[in-house]
Amino acid sequence: MANLKEVKNRIQSVKSTQQITSAMKMVAAAKLKRAQDRITQLRPYSQKLTGILQNVSSTLGGEIENVYGEKREVEKVLLVVVSSDRGLCGAFNNNVFKATANVIKEKYSYEQKHDGVFILPIGKKSFDFFSKRKYQVIGDYCNMFQELSFDVAREAAEYVMKSFKDGKYDKVEIVYNEFKNVATQVVRTEEFLPIESVAPVKTDATNKSRDYIFEPSAEYVVSELIPKSLKIQFYKAVLESNASEHGARMTAMGQATDNAGELLKALKLTYNRTRQAAITKEILEIVGGAEALADN
């Protein structure tokens, strides 16, 4: 059985750890509120923009000349992997890495053997993970979360779009955590480029395609909407991951705080038992000494 000093030191250590995890939980909760507000405000805009693009595209019969929708034989693939900058968020990062590994194994094993798979990491954890494992890591956007804004995400999206347009990559997919609630994050793998062609959209009332008057032209409007929609889609994935990170960290730190509380109870019980055993031992020694003196 451990002595009193060792148990006492462990109790103090666990208390200090509990204070740290509790503070980190509160910080994560504050950051989560801001991140959650940002993603909930962006979602309706993103969905509406996509809907407008589909409706406008449908008026042209889905035959819009679009460089971002060009289907090519897949030889080079770019995977945009969104992680966090810091740890202590449970399985948040590992889930993304496992999903990325599964995507490569199931869909792009041939391209991987021929050095055709490239990783664009967003978040330091993603950069460190894939760099250490000798993947072909490109881009310089791993520090995006230090000053997360649409301008920063737009630069990364424009780099990806230009690379696809220039033929450097034949396909682009994004792997990230989608925010559901504080305790639930779902790993998503979305095809970013090439964009899927949209089918004509019918109205509920007349069952006919909507008719628009375009100024200056339908082609010009679509050519402006498509890049903007792609940038918004890219930014939305980053915001989803950001909110998911804070939710995962809040949950992990809450569980760590609770576990520290349970450990403290066990340690205090051990401390009391050890203390009582020491007191009992001292009493027995005193009684034994008194009996020895009485016998003399």
Side-chain angles (χ1 to χ4, degrees):
M1 184 177 291
N3 59 45
L4 286 174
K5 186 176 180 180
E6 291 176 349
V7 177
K8 192 173 183 179
N9 288 339
R10 286 199 63 191
I11 290 174
Q12 292 298 326
S13 176
V14 173
K15 282 184 178 179
S16 299
T17 302
Q18 187 181 42
Q19 291 175 350
I20 294 172
T21 56
S22 179
M24 292 183 68
K25 176 185 176 182
M26 290 188 290
V27 172
K31 291 182 177 180
L32 172 63
K33 182 64 171 65
R34 295 194 295 268
Q36 188 174 356
D37 290 341
R38 294 172 74 178
I39 188 58
T40 52
Q41 291 171 7
L42 182 67
R43 278 174 180 168
Y45 176 75
S46 176
Q47 294 169 358
K48 188 65 176 178
L49 185 62
T50 302
I52 292 174
L53 177 62
Q54 291 177 345
N55 289 330
V56 172
S57 301
S58 67
T59 63
L60 301 181
E63 298 179 355
I64 304 173
E65 189 173 336
N66 175 25
V67 294
Y68 300 113
E70 180 184 355
K71 302 289 185 180
R72 301 191 288 259
E73 183 179 354
V74 179
E75 295 181 356
K76 295 183 179 180
V77 180
L78 177 64
L79 298 178
V80 182
V81 184
V82 188
S83 68
S84 66
D85 284 343
R86 295 179 294 274
L88 299 177
C89 48
F92 174 83
N93 291 314
N94 286 334
N95 289 339
V96 173
F97 301 153
K98 288 179 181 178
T100 305
N102 289 335
V103 169
I104 295 174
K105 180 179 179 181
E106 295 173 3
K107 298 172 63 176
Y108 306 118
S109 58
Y110 177 82
E111 289 79 4
Q112 175 69 0
K113 291 178 182 178
H114 293 79
D115 297 328
V117 175
F118 299 83
I119 304 293
L120 192 154
I122 296 179
K124 291 182 180 179
K125 291 294 182 180
S126 179
F127 178 83
D128 294 340
F129 180 87
F130 290 103
S131 296
K132 291 178 180 177
R133 286 159 179 79
K134 308 302 181 181
Y135 282 88
Q136 298 186 83
V137 178
I138 54 94
D140 190 23
Y141 304 100
C142 62
N143 297 320
M144 185 179 296
F145 289 111
Q146 291 184 0
E147 296 182 4
L148 180 58
S149 65
F150 176 71
D151 291 335
V152 178
R154 182 187 62 193
E155 292 180 8
E158 288 175 348
Y159 168 80
V160 173
M161 293 160 62
K162 184 178 184 302
S163 298
F164 178 83
K165 184 178 178 181
D166 294 341
K168 291 179 64 176
Y169 311 112
D170 303 311
K171 196 171 185 180
V172 181
E173 295 195 23
I174 305 177
V175 185
Y176 67 97
N177 278 287
E178 182 183 23
F179 179 79
K180 291 296 185 182
N181 52 56
V182 176
T184 306
Q185 300 85 35
V186 181
V187 179
R188 298 292 187 192
T189 302
E190 294 183 353
E191 183 173 323
F192 185 65
L193 291 170
I195 60 174
E196 296 291 336
S197 59
V198 295
V201 178
K202 306 292 184 179
T203 60
D204 296 333
T206 63
N207 200 33
K208 295 181 180 180
S209 300
R210 293 184 175 90
D211 188 19
Y212 291 91
I213 298 176
F214 298 101
E215 179 65 32
S217 67
E219 290 79 3
Y220 177 81
V221 172
V222 173
S223 67
E224 290 293 315
L225 278 178
I226 289 176
K228 188 171 185 178
S229 177
L230 287 171
K231 294 171 188 176
I232 292 296
Q233 181 184 348
F234 191 95
Y235 184 48
K236 176 177 172 291
V238 175
L239 286 187
E240 292 276 7
S241 181
N242 187 45
S244 298
E245 174 193 350
H246 296 310
R249 182 170 290 109
M250 180 180 171
T251 301
M253 292 300 99
Q255 292 175 347
T257 302
D258 294 340
N259 292 339
E262 295 296 325
L263 184 56
L264 277 176
K265 291 180 181 179
L267 287 173
K268 287 179 180 178
L269 182 60
T270 302
Y271 178 82
N272 291 334
R273 287 176 176 174
T274 305
R275 181 171 175 271
Q276 187 61 46
I279 293 173
T280 303
K281 183 180 178 181
E282 291 178 0
I283 292 174
L284 291 175
E285 290 176 351
I286 293 172
V287 171
E291 290 179 352
L293 291 175
D295 293 339
N296 294 331

